[in-house]
Short mmCIF file of all heavy atoms in Angstrom, two decimals:
data_model
loop_
_atom_site.label_atom_id
_atom_site.label_comp_id
_atom_site.label_asym_id
_atom_site.label_seq_id
_atom_site.Cartn_x
_atom_site.Cartn_y
_atom_site.Cartn_z
N MET Y 1 85.99 92.82 62.04
CA MET Y 1 87.21 93.39 61.48
C MET Y 1 88.33 93.23 62.51
O MET Y 1 88.13 93.44 63.70
CB MET Y 1 86.96 94.88 61.18
CG MET Y 1 88.21 95.61 60.79
SD MET Y 1 87.94 97.32 60.27
CE MET Y 1 87.17 98.04 61.70
N TYR Y 2 89.51 92.88 61.97
CA TYR Y 2 90.65 92.75 62.87
C TYR Y 2 91.15 94.12 63.31
O TYR Y 2 91.34 95.01 62.49
CB TYR Y 2 91.78 91.98 62.20
CG TYR Y 2 91.56 90.49 62.23
CD1 TYR Y 2 91.05 89.83 61.13
CD2 TYR Y 2 91.81 89.77 63.38
CE1 TYR Y 2 90.81 88.46 61.17
CE2 TYR Y 2 91.58 88.41 63.44
CZ TYR Y 2 91.08 87.76 62.32
OH TYR Y 2 90.84 86.42 62.38
N ILE Y 3 91.34 94.27 64.59
CA ILE Y 3 91.90 95.50 65.15
C ILE Y 3 93.38 95.28 65.45
O ILE Y 3 94.21 96.12 65.15
CB ILE Y 3 91.16 95.89 66.44
CG1 ILE Y 3 89.66 96.07 66.17
CG2 ILE Y 3 91.76 97.16 67.04
CD1 ILE Y 3 89.31 97.11 65.15
N CYS Y 4 93.69 94.16 66.05
CA CYS Y 4 95.08 93.82 66.37
C CYS Y 4 95.44 92.55 65.58
O CYS Y 4 95.01 91.46 65.92
CB CYS Y 4 95.24 93.58 67.87
SG CYS Y 4 96.90 93.06 68.35
N VAL Y 5 96.22 92.77 64.54
CA VAL Y 5 96.60 91.65 63.67
C VAL Y 5 97.57 90.72 64.39
O VAL Y 5 97.49 89.51 64.26
CB VAL Y 5 97.22 92.20 62.36
CG1 VAL Y 5 97.71 91.05 61.49
CG2 VAL Y 5 96.20 93.04 61.62
N CYS Y 6 98.45 91.29 65.17
CA CYS Y 6 99.46 90.46 65.86
C CYS Y 6 98.80 89.41 66.77
O CYS Y 6 99.27 88.28 66.85
CB CYS Y 6 100.38 91.33 66.70
SG CYS Y 6 101.42 92.44 65.74
N LYS Y 7 97.74 89.81 67.43
CA LYS Y 7 97.07 88.91 68.38
C LYS Y 7 95.75 88.37 67.85
O LYS Y 7 95.05 87.64 68.53
CB LYS Y 7 96.82 89.64 69.71
CG LYS Y 7 98.09 89.96 70.47
CD LYS Y 7 98.73 88.68 70.98
CE LYS Y 7 99.92 88.99 71.86
NZ LYS Y 7 100.47 87.80 72.49
N GLY Y 8 95.37 88.78 66.64
CA GLY Y 8 94.13 88.29 66.05
C GLY Y 8 92.89 88.73 66.80
O GLY Y 8 91.93 87.98 66.92
N VAL Y 9 92.91 89.98 67.27
CA VAL Y 9 91.78 90.50 68.06
C VAL Y 9 90.86 91.32 67.15
O VAL Y 9 91.32 92.22 66.44
CB VAL Y 9 92.27 91.38 69.23
CG1 VAL Y 9 91.09 91.94 70.01
CG2 VAL Y 9 93.17 90.56 70.14
N THR Y 10 89.59 91.02 67.19
CA THR Y 10 88.61 91.74 66.37
C THR Y 10 87.88 92.81 67.18
O THR Y 10 87.95 92.82 68.42
CB THR Y 10 87.56 90.75 65.83
OG1 THR Y 10 86.85 90.19 66.93
CG2 THR Y 10 88.21 89.64 65.01
N ASP Y 11 87.15 93.65 66.47
CA ASP Y 11 86.34 94.67 67.14
C ASP Y 11 85.27 94.00 68.00
O ASP Y 11 84.94 94.48 69.08
CB ASP Y 11 85.73 95.66 66.16
CG ASP Y 11 84.97 94.99 65.01
OD1 ASP Y 11 85.08 93.76 64.83
OD2 ASP Y 11 84.27 95.72 64.28
N ARG Y 12 84.75 92.87 67.55
CA ARG Y 12 83.75 92.15 68.34
C ARG Y 12 84.33 91.67 69.67
O ARG Y 12 83.65 91.68 70.69
CB ARG Y 12 83.20 90.95 67.57
CG ARG Y 12 82.26 91.36 66.48
CD ARG Y 12 81.73 90.15 65.78
NE ARG Y 12 80.83 90.58 64.71
CZ ARG Y 12 79.67 90.02 64.46
NH1 ARG Y 12 79.25 89.01 65.17
NH2 ARG Y 12 78.92 90.47 63.50
N ALA Y 13 85.57 91.24 69.63
CA ALA Y 13 86.22 90.78 70.87
C ALA Y 13 86.35 91.94 71.85
O ALA Y 13 86.18 91.77 73.06
CB ALA Y 13 87.58 90.18 70.56
N ILE Y 14 86.64 93.14 71.32
CA ILE Y 14 86.74 94.31 72.20
C ILE Y 14 85.37 94.66 72.77
O ILE Y 14 85.24 94.94 73.97
CB ILE Y 14 87.34 95.51 71.43
CG1 ILE Y 14 88.80 95.20 71.07
CG2 ILE Y 14 87.25 96.79 72.25
CD1 ILE Y 14 89.46 96.23 70.18
N LEU Y 15 84.34 94.61 71.94
CA LEU Y 15 82.99 94.89 72.42
C LEU Y 15 82.59 93.90 73.52
O LEU Y 15 82.00 94.27 74.53
CB LEU Y 15 81.98 94.82 71.27
CG LEU Y 15 82.13 95.85 70.15
CD1 LEU Y 15 81.11 95.62 69.06
CD2 LEU Y 15 82.04 97.26 70.70
N GLU Y 16 82.94 92.64 73.31
CA GLU Y 16 82.62 91.63 74.32
C GLU Y 16 83.39 91.88 75.62
O GLU Y 16 82.84 91.75 76.71
CB GLU Y 16 82.94 90.24 73.78
CG GLU Y 16 82.45 89.13 74.68
CD GLU Y 16 82.63 87.76 74.06
OE1 GLU Y 16 82.42 87.63 72.85
OE2 GLU Y 16 82.97 86.84 74.81
N ALA Y 17 84.67 92.27 75.48
CA ALA Y 17 85.46 92.57 76.67
C ALA Y 17 84.85 93.73 77.45
O ALA Y 17 84.79 93.70 78.68
CB ALA Y 17 86.90 92.89 76.27
N VAL Y 18 84.37 94.75 76.73
CA VAL Y 18 83.73 95.88 77.40
C VAL Y 18 82.46 95.44 78.10
O VAL Y 18 82.18 95.84 79.23
CB VAL Y 18 83.46 97.02 76.39
CG1 VAL Y 18 82.57 98.10 77.01
CG2 VAL Y 18 84.78 97.64 75.93
N SER Y 19 81.70 94.58 77.45
CA SER Y 19 80.45 94.11 78.07
C SER Y 19 80.73 93.29 79.33
O SER Y 19 79.88 93.15 80.19
CB SER Y 19 79.61 93.31 77.08
OG SER Y 19 80.19 92.05 76.86
N GLN Y 20 81.97 92.77 79.42
CA GLN Y 20 82.35 91.99 80.60
C GLN Y 20 83.14 92.82 81.61
O GLN Y 20 83.71 92.29 82.55
CB GLN Y 20 83.16 90.76 80.17
CG GLN Y 20 82.31 89.78 79.37
CD GLN Y 20 83.12 88.62 78.82
OE1 GLN Y 20 84.34 88.57 78.96
NE2 GLN Y 20 82.44 87.69 78.19
N GLY Y 21 83.23 94.15 81.36
CA GLY Y 21 83.82 95.01 82.37
C GLY Y 21 85.08 95.75 82.00
O GLY Y 21 85.58 96.54 82.78
N ALA Y 22 85.64 95.50 80.82
CA ALA Y 22 86.85 96.23 80.43
C ALA Y 22 86.53 97.71 80.26
O ALA Y 22 85.51 98.06 79.66
CB ALA Y 22 87.41 95.66 79.13
N GLU Y 23 87.38 98.58 80.79
CA GLU Y 23 87.14 100.02 80.72
C GLU Y 23 88.35 100.80 80.21
O GLU Y 23 88.23 101.98 79.90
CB GLU Y 23 86.78 100.56 82.11
CG GLU Y 23 85.48 100.00 82.64
CD GLU Y 23 85.14 100.54 84.01
OE1 GLU Y 23 86.09 100.86 84.77
OE2 GLU Y 23 83.95 100.63 84.32
N ARG Y 24 89.51 100.16 80.19
CA ARG Y 24 90.73 100.88 79.83
C ARG Y 24 91.53 100.05 78.84
O ARG Y 24 91.36 98.84 78.74
CB ARG Y 24 91.60 101.10 81.07
CG ARG Y 24 90.94 101.90 82.14
CD ARG Y 24 91.83 101.98 83.33
NE ARG Y 24 91.18 102.74 84.40
CZ ARG Y 24 91.71 102.91 85.59
NH1 ARG Y 24 92.87 102.37 85.88
NH2 ARG Y 24 91.08 103.60 86.50
N MET Y 25 92.48 100.73 78.20
CA MET Y 25 93.38 100.02 77.29
C MET Y 25 94.15 98.95 78.05
O MET Y 25 94.44 97.88 77.51
CB MET Y 25 94.34 101.01 76.63
CG MET Y 25 93.71 101.85 75.55
SD MET Y 25 93.14 100.85 74.15
CE MET Y 25 94.71 100.35 73.45
N ARG Y 26 94.47 99.22 79.28
CA ARG Y 26 95.18 98.23 80.09
C ARG Y 26 94.37 96.93 80.21
O ARG Y 26 94.94 95.84 80.19
CB ARG Y 26 95.48 98.79 81.48
CG ARG Y 26 96.25 97.83 82.36
CD ARG Y 26 96.44 98.37 83.75
NE ARG Y 26 97.13 99.65 83.72
CZ ARG Y 26 97.43 100.35 84.80
NH1 ARG Y 26 97.10 99.90 85.99
NH2 ARG Y 26 98.05 101.50 84.70
N ASP Y 27 93.06 97.08 80.35
CA ASP Y 27 92.19 95.89 80.43
C ASP Y 27 92.27 95.08 79.14
O ASP Y 27 92.32 93.85 79.17
CB ASP Y 27 90.74 96.30 80.69
CG ASP Y 27 90.56 97.04 82.01
OD1 ASP Y 27 91.32 96.75 82.96
OD2 ASP Y 27 89.68 97.90 82.08
N LEU Y 28 92.28 95.80 78.01
CA LEU Y 28 92.36 95.09 76.72
C LEU Y 28 93.71 94.42 76.55
O LEU Y 28 93.81 93.34 75.97
CB LEU Y 28 92.11 96.07 75.56
CG LEU Y 28 90.75 96.76 75.53
CD1 LEU Y 28 90.63 97.63 74.29
CD2 LEU Y 28 89.61 95.76 75.60
N LYS Y 29 94.73 95.05 77.07
CA LYS Y 29 96.07 94.46 76.98
C LYS Y 29 96.15 93.19 77.81
O LYS Y 29 96.65 92.16 77.36
CB LYS Y 29 97.13 95.47 77.45
CG LYS Y 29 98.54 94.95 77.31
CD LYS Y 29 99.54 96.03 77.63
CE LYS Y 29 100.96 95.53 77.37
NZ LYS Y 29 101.95 96.59 77.57
N VAL Y 30 95.64 93.26 79.02
CA VAL Y 30 95.70 92.10 79.92
C VAL Y 30 94.80 90.98 79.42
O VAL Y 30 95.20 89.82 79.39
CB VAL Y 30 95.29 92.51 81.35
CG1 VAL Y 30 95.10 91.29 82.25
CG2 VAL Y 30 96.33 93.45 81.94
N ASN Y 31 93.58 91.34 78.99
CA ASN Y 31 92.60 90.31 78.63
C ASN Y 31 92.77 89.77 77.21
O ASN Y 31 92.49 88.60 76.97
CB ASN Y 31 91.18 90.87 78.77
CG ASN Y 31 90.84 91.22 80.20
OD1 ASN Y 31 91.40 90.66 81.13
ND2 ASN Y 31 89.93 92.15 80.38
N LEU Y 32 93.20 90.64 76.27
CA LEU Y 32 93.23 90.24 74.87
C LEU Y 32 94.63 90.27 74.26
O LEU Y 32 94.83 89.74 73.16
CB LEU Y 32 92.30 91.14 74.05
CG LEU Y 32 90.83 91.17 74.50
CD1 LEU Y 32 90.06 92.23 73.72
CD2 LEU Y 32 90.18 89.81 74.30
N GLY Y 33 95.56 90.92 74.92
CA GLY Y 33 96.91 91.01 74.38
C GLY Y 33 97.14 92.16 73.42
O GLY Y 33 98.19 92.25 72.79
N ILE Y 34 96.16 93.05 73.33
CA ILE Y 34 96.28 94.20 72.43
C ILE Y 34 97.48 95.06 72.82
O ILE Y 34 97.70 95.31 74.00
CB ILE Y 34 94.96 95.01 72.45
CG1 ILE Y 34 93.96 94.31 71.54
CG2 ILE Y 34 95.16 96.45 72.05
CD1 ILE Y 34 92.67 95.02 71.32
N THR Y 35 98.24 95.49 71.84
CA THR Y 35 99.45 96.32 71.93
C THR Y 35 100.64 95.60 72.55
O THR Y 35 101.66 96.24 72.81
CB THR Y 35 99.24 97.66 72.68
OG1 THR Y 35 99.05 97.41 74.07
CG2 THR Y 35 98.06 98.45 72.14
N GLU Y 36 100.55 94.32 72.75
CA GLU Y 36 101.68 93.62 73.37
C GLU Y 36 102.86 93.41 72.42
O GLU Y 36 103.96 93.17 72.88
CB GLU Y 36 101.24 92.25 73.91
CG GLU Y 36 100.58 92.34 75.27
CD GLU Y 36 100.35 90.98 75.88
OE1 GLU Y 36 100.40 89.97 75.17
OE2 GLU Y 36 100.10 90.94 77.10
N GLN Y 37 102.59 93.51 71.11
CA GLN Y 37 103.70 93.27 70.18
C GLN Y 37 104.10 94.56 69.49
O GLN Y 37 104.80 95.37 70.07
CB GLN Y 37 103.34 92.14 69.23
CG GLN Y 37 103.27 90.81 69.98
CD GLN Y 37 103.07 89.62 69.06
OE1 GLN Y 37 103.07 89.74 67.85
NE2 GLN Y 37 102.88 88.45 69.65
N CYS Y 38 103.63 94.81 68.28
CA CYS Y 38 104.10 95.98 67.54
C CYS Y 38 103.50 97.28 68.05
O CYS Y 38 104.10 98.35 67.92
CB CYS Y 38 103.84 95.82 66.05
SG CYS Y 38 102.10 95.99 65.58
N GLY Y 39 102.27 97.24 68.58
CA GLY Y 39 101.62 98.42 69.13
C GLY Y 39 100.90 99.29 68.12
O GLY Y 39 100.30 100.31 68.48
N ILE Y 40 100.94 98.91 66.85
CA ILE Y 40 100.30 99.71 65.80
C ILE Y 40 98.79 99.82 66.02
O ILE Y 40 98.17 100.80 65.62
CB ILE Y 40 100.62 99.12 64.41
CG1 ILE Y 40 102.08 99.40 64.07
CG2 ILE Y 40 99.69 99.67 63.33
CD1 ILE Y 40 102.55 98.76 62.79
N CYS Y 41 98.22 98.84 66.69
CA CYS Y 41 96.77 98.79 66.88
C CYS Y 41 96.26 99.75 67.96
O CYS Y 41 95.05 99.91 68.12
CB CYS Y 41 96.36 97.37 67.26
SG CYS Y 41 97.24 96.76 68.73
N ALA Y 42 97.13 100.39 68.70
CA ALA Y 42 96.73 101.16 69.89
C ALA Y 42 95.67 102.21 69.58
O ALA Y 42 94.64 102.27 70.27
CB ALA Y 42 97.95 101.80 70.54
N CYS Y 43 95.88 103.04 68.57
CA CYS Y 43 94.94 104.13 68.27
C CYS Y 43 93.57 103.58 67.87
O CYS Y 43 92.54 104.07 68.35
CB CYS Y 43 95.47 105.03 67.17
SG CYS Y 43 96.82 106.07 67.71
N HIS Y 44 93.59 102.58 67.01
CA HIS Y 44 92.32 102.03 66.54
C HIS Y 44 91.60 101.30 67.68
O HIS Y 44 90.38 101.41 67.83
CB HIS Y 44 92.57 101.10 65.36
CG HIS Y 44 91.37 100.91 64.50
ND1 HIS Y 44 90.64 101.94 63.96
CD2 HIS Y 44 90.75 99.79 64.09
CE1 HIS Y 44 89.65 101.47 63.27
NE2 HIS Y 44 89.67 100.15 63.33
N ALA Y 45 92.34 100.58 68.49
CA ALA Y 45 91.74 99.87 69.62
C ALA Y 45 91.12 100.85 70.60
O ALA Y 45 90.03 100.62 71.13
CB ALA Y 45 92.79 99.01 70.31
N LYS Y 46 91.80 101.97 70.82
CA LYS Y 46 91.27 102.99 71.75
C LYS Y 46 89.96 103.55 71.21
O LYS Y 46 89.01 103.77 71.97
CB LYS Y 46 92.31 104.11 71.92
CG LYS Y 46 91.85 105.25 72.80
CD LYS Y 46 91.95 104.89 74.26
CE LYS Y 46 91.83 106.09 75.17
NZ LYS Y 46 90.49 106.40 75.57
N ARG Y 47 89.90 103.78 69.92
CA ARG Y 47 88.68 104.31 69.31
C ARG Y 47 87.53 103.31 69.48
O ARG Y 47 86.42 103.69 69.87
CB ARG Y 47 88.91 104.61 67.83
CG ARG Y 47 87.78 105.42 67.22
CD ARG Y 47 88.07 105.83 65.77
NE ARG Y 47 89.48 106.08 65.53
CZ ARG Y 47 90.15 105.62 64.48
NH1 ARG Y 47 89.56 104.89 63.58
NH2 ARG Y 47 91.42 105.91 64.32
N VAL Y 48 87.80 102.04 69.22
CA VAL Y 48 86.75 101.02 69.38
C VAL Y 48 86.35 100.92 70.85
O VAL Y 48 85.16 100.80 71.17
CB VAL Y 48 87.24 99.65 68.85
CG1 VAL Y 48 86.24 98.55 69.17
CG2 VAL Y 48 87.49 99.74 67.35
N LEU Y 49 87.32 100.99 71.74
CA LEU Y 49 87.02 100.94 73.18
C LEU Y 49 86.13 102.10 73.58
O LEU Y 49 85.11 101.90 74.27
CB LEU Y 49 88.33 100.97 73.98
CG LEU Y 49 88.19 101.08 75.49
CD1 LEU Y 49 87.51 99.84 76.08
CD2 LEU Y 49 89.57 101.27 76.14
N ASP Y 50 86.48 103.30 73.15
CA ASP Y 50 85.68 104.49 73.51
C ASP Y 50 84.25 104.39 72.99
O ASP Y 50 83.30 104.72 73.68
CB ASP Y 50 86.35 105.76 72.99
CG ASP Y 50 87.61 106.11 73.76
OD1 ASP Y 50 87.81 105.55 74.86
OD2 ASP Y 50 88.41 106.92 73.26
N GLN Y 51 84.12 103.92 71.74
CA GLN Y 51 82.78 103.77 71.17
C GLN Y 51 81.98 102.72 71.94
O GLN Y 51 80.79 102.90 72.19
CB GLN Y 51 82.88 103.38 69.70
CG GLN Y 51 83.38 104.51 68.83
CD GLN Y 51 83.65 104.06 67.40
OE1 GLN Y 51 83.64 102.88 67.09
NE2 GLN Y 51 83.91 105.03 66.53
N ALA Y 52 82.63 101.64 72.31
CA ALA Y 52 81.94 100.57 73.05
C ALA Y 52 81.51 101.07 74.43
O ALA Y 52 80.42 100.77 74.90
CB ALA Y 52 82.86 99.36 73.18
N LEU Y 53 82.38 101.86 75.08
CA LEU Y 53 82.03 102.40 76.40
C LEU Y 53 80.85 103.35 76.32
O LEU Y 53 80.00 103.37 77.21
CB LEU Y 53 83.25 103.09 77.02
CG LEU Y 53 84.36 102.16 77.49
CD1 LEU Y 53 85.60 102.96 77.88
CD2 LEU Y 53 83.89 101.28 78.64
N MET Y 54 80.80 104.14 75.24
CA MET Y 54 79.67 105.06 75.07
C MET Y 54 78.37 104.29 74.92
O MET Y 54 77.33 104.71 75.41
CB MET Y 54 79.91 105.96 73.86
CG MET Y 54 80.94 107.02 74.13
SD MET Y 54 81.29 108.05 72.70
CE MET Y 54 79.71 108.80 72.42
N ARG Y 55 78.43 103.15 74.24
CA ARG Y 55 77.23 102.33 74.07
C ARG Y 55 76.82 101.68 75.38
O ARG Y 55 75.64 101.50 75.65
CB ARG Y 55 77.48 101.23 73.05
CG ARG Y 55 77.48 101.72 71.66
CD ARG Y 55 77.49 100.54 70.71
NE ARG Y 55 78.20 100.90 69.51
CZ ARG Y 55 78.81 100.04 68.72
NH1 ARG Y 55 78.81 98.77 69.01
NH2 ARG Y 55 79.42 100.45 67.64
N GLU Y 56 77.81 101.30 76.19
CA GLU Y 56 77.53 100.60 77.44
C GLU Y 56 76.98 101.53 78.51
O GLU Y 56 76.25 101.12 79.38
CB GLU Y 56 78.81 99.94 77.97
CG GLU Y 56 79.23 98.73 77.18
CD GLU Y 56 78.36 97.51 77.48
OE1 GLU Y 56 78.04 97.27 78.63
OE2 GLU Y 56 78.02 96.81 76.51
N THR Y 57 77.39 102.81 78.45
CA THR Y 57 76.99 103.76 79.47
C THR Y 57 75.60 104.29 79.18
O THR Y 57 75.39 104.90 78.14
CB THR Y 57 77.98 104.94 79.52
OG1 THR Y 57 79.29 104.42 79.68
CG2 THR Y 57 77.64 105.87 80.67
N PRO Y 58 74.65 104.06 80.06
CA PRO Y 58 73.30 104.57 79.82
C PRO Y 58 73.29 106.10 79.85
O PRO Y 58 74.08 106.71 80.55
CB PRO Y 58 72.48 104.00 80.98
CG PRO Y 58 73.47 103.60 82.01
CD PRO Y 58 74.77 103.35 81.32
N ALA Y 59 72.40 106.66 79.06
CA ALA Y 59 72.30 108.12 79.01
C ALA Y 59 71.90 108.64 80.38
O ALA Y 59 71.08 108.05 81.08
CB ALA Y 59 71.26 108.51 77.97
N GLN Y 60 72.49 109.75 80.75
CA GLN Y 60 72.18 110.37 82.03
C GLN Y 60 70.86 111.12 81.93
O GLN Y 60 70.62 111.84 80.96
CB GLN Y 60 73.29 111.35 82.41
CG GLN Y 60 74.64 110.71 82.60
CD GLN Y 60 74.70 109.85 83.85
OE1 GLN Y 60 74.11 110.18 84.87
NE2 GLN Y 60 75.38 108.72 83.78
N PRO Y 61 69.99 110.98 82.92
CA PRO Y 61 68.76 111.77 82.89
C PRO Y 61 69.09 113.24 83.10
O PRO Y 61 70.07 113.57 83.76
CB PRO Y 61 67.97 111.21 84.07
CG PRO Y 61 68.98 110.58 84.96
CD PRO Y 61 70.11 110.15 84.08
N PRO Y 62 68.27 114.14 82.54
CA PRO Y 62 68.55 115.56 82.71
C PRO Y 62 68.44 115.96 84.19
O PRO Y 62 67.61 115.43 84.94
CB PRO Y 62 67.46 116.23 81.87
CG PRO Y 62 66.44 115.20 81.62
CD PRO Y 62 67.09 113.87 81.76
N VAL Y 63 69.30 116.86 84.59
CA VAL Y 63 69.28 117.34 85.98
C VAL Y 63 68.13 118.34 86.11
O VAL Y 63 68.00 119.26 85.30
CB VAL Y 63 70.61 118.03 86.33
CG1 VAL Y 63 70.56 118.59 87.74
CG2 VAL Y 63 71.76 117.05 86.18
N THR Y 64 67.31 118.15 87.13
CA THR Y 64 66.17 119.05 87.31
C THR Y 64 66.32 119.89 88.56
O THR Y 64 67.05 119.62 89.43
CB THR Y 64 64.84 118.29 87.42
OG1 THR Y 64 64.96 117.32 88.45
CG2 THR Y 64 64.52 117.63 86.11
S1 FES N 1 98.69 94.94 65.73
FE1 FES N 1 98.34 94.86 67.86
S2 FES N 1 100.28 94.49 68.74
FE2 FES N 1 100.63 94.49 66.58
#
């Protein structure tokens, strides 16, 4: 699904960027061009980024 229509960026592209180290919206802007034009994609891109980061971060073991 397209997240940023202006730059033709899909949710898969964001997931791939996260798997390669992207952690912030700034990373997506620099690497993919997200929010560089109209900026309408910002909220949706942030949501996809947050979900991708949660998947990338391994669960913390319980503190004993
Ligand atoms: S939809 Fe992303 S900058 Fe316009």
Side-chain angles (χ1 to χ4, degrees):
M1 171 174 59
Y2 280 99
I3 303 300
C4 177
V5 176
C6 294
K7 292 291 186 173
V9 178
T10 63
D11 52 349
R12 286 182 181 223
I14 293 174
L15 296 177
E16 188 173 322
V18 169
S19 73
Q20 294 174 356
E23 296 180 331
R24 300 176 181 176
M25 285 296 290
R26 182 184 303 180
D27 299 328
L28 298 183
K29 184 173 185 176
V30 170
N31 295 335
L32 302 173
I34 280 186
T35 70
E36 278 189 344
Q37 291 186 6
C38 73
I40 288 175
C41 56
C43 287
H44 202 53
K46 177 78 166 90
R47 192 175 326 134
V48 173
L49 174 64
D50 288 345
Q51 290 173 350
L53 288 171
M54 286 177 63
R55 284 190 211 154
E56 287 285 318
T57 306
Q60 297 290 322
V63 177
T64 54

